[in-house]
Every structure is written in C-alpha cells, then in structure tokens.
C-alpha cells in the first residue's frame, strides 16, 4: 500500500469530493475538515485493505478500482463505483471489522 500525507490544504480535491453522493450536501468548510483527517491510499490488485476481526476505525471512499468484501472467506460484495464506501460499520459501532476487504484490481481510496 502506498499512502499519502494527510490532505490538509488540498483544496484541489474539493470538487472530486463533491461528486461523492453522501458528501454532496456538505459545505467546503466541512469537506476541508474531512481532508485534514484523510489520506489517499493506493493498493495493488490482491492486496488486503482491511481484515475481518481487526480493530480499525477508518471509513474508505473508493476513488478508482474495484474492491471485494469477504466475510468468513465468502465474497459478499464487490464495489467498483467511484464514491462507493466501505468500513462504515466499524466507525459507527467502534467494534472490530465485521468483514475483510481486498483490492480486486489496482484501487485508490480516500481513508
């Protein structure tokens, strides 16, 4: 995985964030706060993004590529739309990951 620095001051990313359905209604001020806490992560095909049962509180927004979601070694979803999200449950309940994910192709995510 390649990971950027935190994205504070990256106003060039505001327009692409506004294309994400659940972020469309947020003001630029709020989007800047999200960027301050975010990094861009790039994964190679087959690389693990999250592991089921792992403690991690990141929410991921797909920028490009395809992600597979697995629970108990069974594929339960495939996400390939820019703006698609995964990892929200761990953010909401604070518990361990209920499923694992890996990059089905080269994938770029906002984390």
């Amino acid at each position: 995985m390649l990971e950027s620095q935190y994205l504070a001051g990256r106003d060039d990313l505001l327009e692409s964030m506004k294309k994400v359905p659940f972020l469309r209604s947020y003001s630029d001020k709020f989007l800047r706060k999200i960027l301050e806490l975010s990094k861009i992560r790039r994964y190679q095909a087959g690389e693990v993004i999250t592991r089921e049962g792992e403690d991690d509180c990141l929410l991921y927004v797909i920028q490009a590529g395809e992600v597979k979601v697995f629970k108990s070694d069974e594929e339960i979803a495939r996400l390939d739309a820019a703006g698609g999200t995964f990892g929200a449950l761990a953010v909401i309940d604070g518990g361990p990951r209920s499923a694992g994910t890996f990059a089905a192709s080269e994938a770029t995510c906002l984390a």
Side-chain angles (χ1 to χ4, degrees):
M1 178 224 354
L2 295 175
E3 181 177 73
S4 74
Q5 298 294 319
Y6 284 102
L7 302 172
R10 292 291 309 271
D11 284 1
D12 58 303
L13 297 173
L14 289 174
E15 289 308 312
S16 65
M17 289 184 71
K18 291 176 184 177
K19 294 176 183 174
V20 176
F22 82 95
L23 295 175
R24 282 187 188 140
S25 63
Y26 292 106
S27 69
D28 286 0
K29 179 181 177 182
F30 188 73
L31 293 174
R32 283 185 184 98
K33 289 289 185 190
I34 292 172
L35 286 171
E36 287 177 15
L37 301 170
S38 300
K39 295 181 178 186
I40 293 174
R41 291 184 169 184
R42 291 183 174 85
Y43 299 90
Q44 296 297 315
E47 193 171 359
V48 172
I49 300 173
T50 64
R51 295 183 193 283
E52 185 175 353
E54 191 174 67
D55 286 321
D56 171 4
C57 62
L58 293 175
L59 171 70
Y60 293 84
V61 180
I62 298 170
Q63 293 182 310
E66 183 177 25
V67 174
K68 288 185 181 181
V69 182
F70 279 82
K71 184 162 182 72
S72 303
D73 295 325
E74 182 180 333
E75 183 178 337
I76 59 171
R78 190 176 292 232
L79 309 170
D80 62 0
T85 60
F86 60 96
L89 189 56
V91 174
I92 293 168
D93 70 10
R97 294 281 180 197
S98 60
T101 57
F102 76 89
S105 67
E106 288 186 18
T108 302
C109 299
L110 181 70

